[in-house]
Amino acid sequence: MPDRDDDAAGVRCMLMRGGTSKGAYFLAEDLPADPDERDELLLRVLGSPDARQIDGVGGAHPLTSKVAVVSRSADPAADLDYLFLQVAVDEPVVTRTQNCGNLLAGVGPFAVERGLVRAGGDHTETRIRLVNTGGLATARFPTPGGRVDYRGGAAISGVPGTAAAVVLGFAGSSTGSLLPTGNQVDVIDGVEVTCVDNGMPVVVAAAADLGLTGYEPYEELAADAALAERVQALRLRAGELMGLGDVTGASVPKTTLVAPPRDGGALCTRTFIPVRPHTSIGVLGAVSVVTAALLPDGVARRFARLPGGPRVAVEHPTGQLEVEVELDLTTDPPTAVRAANVRTARKLFDGTVFPRPRPRPDEGPTTR
């Protein structure tokens, strides 16, 4: 790893859209090994803290202020290690307490582009260890002629046009249990919730119990400061119940408010990350919400209209996201059998990113 005291040489980086998120992808070897040094560098690369991230490559929103760190895995059960880092927009904070299923869609293609894995024919399948939680995932994507092909006919809500399908399979949870509290329903501040973790810790509550319809547009939710406070209070208590401790500065658990579907899906959702409304819903968050809907006594089950087949469509502010979840309800508590969904990814640019310079010791901040 080169000396980071001088960032004039920049850092090798690939910017990719993964699902409905966008992030900077790095090889682990191209970043400092020390986590504190790495995070300090990434703050300067993405331009945080600044609401506009004007002096970096971040997109001024949690969904576009993300980082994937990828390397070959020493785990015999995996080909790749994927560390997800959420870079706060207006705070000097980098967290690694959660996975990101959207950026996961780009990990396999990125690894082929960087030579970490060899293309396996018309399609390549890679086994990926989710470093944040220790879970495992698989990614299958087209590689005709030994090269990643991002073109295809798969469409996902929230992304214009179509692209090649990336089929993701998931296993594992962040907390080690599908129901971290041991209950299908808990009561927090008078609100019934289901605390579930099938890859992403999520607190599921009825939108009506927070005085909402569950169909509010993103802009209306974003302007409601009282709602943000209520969501924060709910998830702080849920974090304790789920064994996550004090989650004040963490991005998990997420909170998802549910309502009956109205556009042909199985369930309508409004998700917060952690208190800012999501413009859609995260991949692993959707897996956990569908898991909650399959629990016979869970909050979400009361509103869900489940299809006969394995594929379940989750409605969100900008469309729908389909996932497949299979549970074993004969165990106590229930256990996850499998989860999968289809995402897309696209390489946006590949090259060198130049972090914001550190101020010199004799320089103070200036504003013009």
Side-chain angles (χ1 to χ4, degrees):
M1 178 62 213
D3 185 359
R4 286 290 142 212
D5 286 339
D6 181 4
D7 297 311
V11 187
R12 186 165 58 157
C13 173
M14 185 180 292
L15 189 69
M16 300 187 74
R17 176 189 61 76
T20 54
S21 293
K22 184 164 58 178
Y25 288 67
F26 297 92
L27 291 177
E29 65 191 52
D30 290 333
L31 295 174
D34 179 80
D36 291 337
E37 292 182 15
R38 176 201 65 207
D39 292 353
E40 187 271 341
L41 172 66
L42 293 176
L43 287 168
R44 293 188 289 122
V45 166
L46 272 74
S48 297
D50 173 40
R52 295 183 298 159
Q53 290 183 321
I54 196 67
D55 205 24
V57 297
H61 191 281
L63 297 181
T64 54
S65 186
K66 297 183 173 186
V67 169
V69 182
V70 184
S71 62
R72 290 188 178 90
S73 181
D75 187 335
D79 304 305
L80 301 168
D81 280 354
Y82 157 49
L83 172 66
F84 169 68
L85 298 171
Q86 179 70 61
V87 180
V89 174
D90 50 7
E91 296 180 279
V93 175
V94 179
T95 62
R96 53 167 294 171
T97 53
Q98 67 175 83
N99 294 315
C100 176
N102 275 303
L103 284 201
L104 174 64
V107 170
F110 172 76
V112 171
E113 296 263 17
R114 285 287 188 262
L116 295 183
V117 296
R118 178 179 293 182
D122 286 344
H123 286 83
T124 297
E125 182 166 306
T126 60
R127 304 169 301 163
I128 303 168
R129 185 172 75 98
L130 309 178
V131 176
N132 301 69
T133 61
L136 294 172
T138 58
R140 187 175 187 271
F141 49 95
T143 51
R147 300 180 64 180
V148 179
D149 189 353
Y150 297 98
R151 300 166 300 174
I156 59 175
S157 296
V159 177
T162 63
V166 180
V167 181
L168 301 175
F170 306 102
S173 65
S174 301
T175 59
S177 175
L178 194 74
L179 293 173
T181 71
N183 306 312
Q184 293 191 27
V185 175
D186 292 284
V187 179
I188 300 176
D189 296 335
V191 176
E192 290 191 339
V193 302
T194 295
C195 298
V196 63
D197 179 10
N198 195 2
M200 174 74 71
V202 177
V203 186
V204 179
D209 286 346
L210 273 75
L212 303 173
T213 65
Y215 311 120
E216 288 81 1
Y218 167 85
E219 293 77 12
E220 182 177 335
L221 297 174
D224 193 336
L227 176 61
E229 293 180 2
R230 187 83 184 275
V231 168
Q232 178 72 336
L234 196 68
R235 74 177 209 93
L236 288 179
R237 180 59 183 143
E240 295 175 358
L241 295 176
M242 298 172 82
L244 297 170
D246 182 1
V247 298
T248 302
S251 55
V252 291
K254 300 289 193 293
T255 303
T256 294
L257 306 182
V258 296
R262 64 175 185 177
D263 292 318
L267 191 69
C268 188
T269 64
R270 294 295 185 265
T271 297
F272 299 81
I273 49 171
V275 297
R276 186 171 179 173
H278 202 308
T279 54
S280 56
I281 187 171
V283 175
L284 292 171
V287 168
S288 286
V289 170
V290 169
T291 299
L294 295 176
L295 297 170
D297 298 322
V299 172
R301 185 62 169 266
R302 305 168 195 170
F303 307 97
R305 298 173 189 165
L306 298 173
R311 187 165 294 179
V312 179
V314 178
E315 299 175 7
H316 55 73
T318 53
Q320 298 186 9
L321 191 157
E322 291 187 340
V323 300
E324 296 182 7
V325 177
E326 183 179 351
L327 301 183
D328 183 352
L329 298 175
T330 66
T331 62
D332 187 19
T335 53
V337 176
R338 63 179 292 273
N341 87 319
V342 174
R343 294 276 85 186
T344 65
R346 191 170 79 84
K347 176 173 63 173
L348 304 179
F349 79 70
D350 186 10
T352 302
V353 65
F354 295 90
R356 180 182 64 239
R358 296 186 185 92
R360 295 176 180 174
D362 59 342
E363 290 179 337
T366 60
T367 302
R368 294 183 180 178

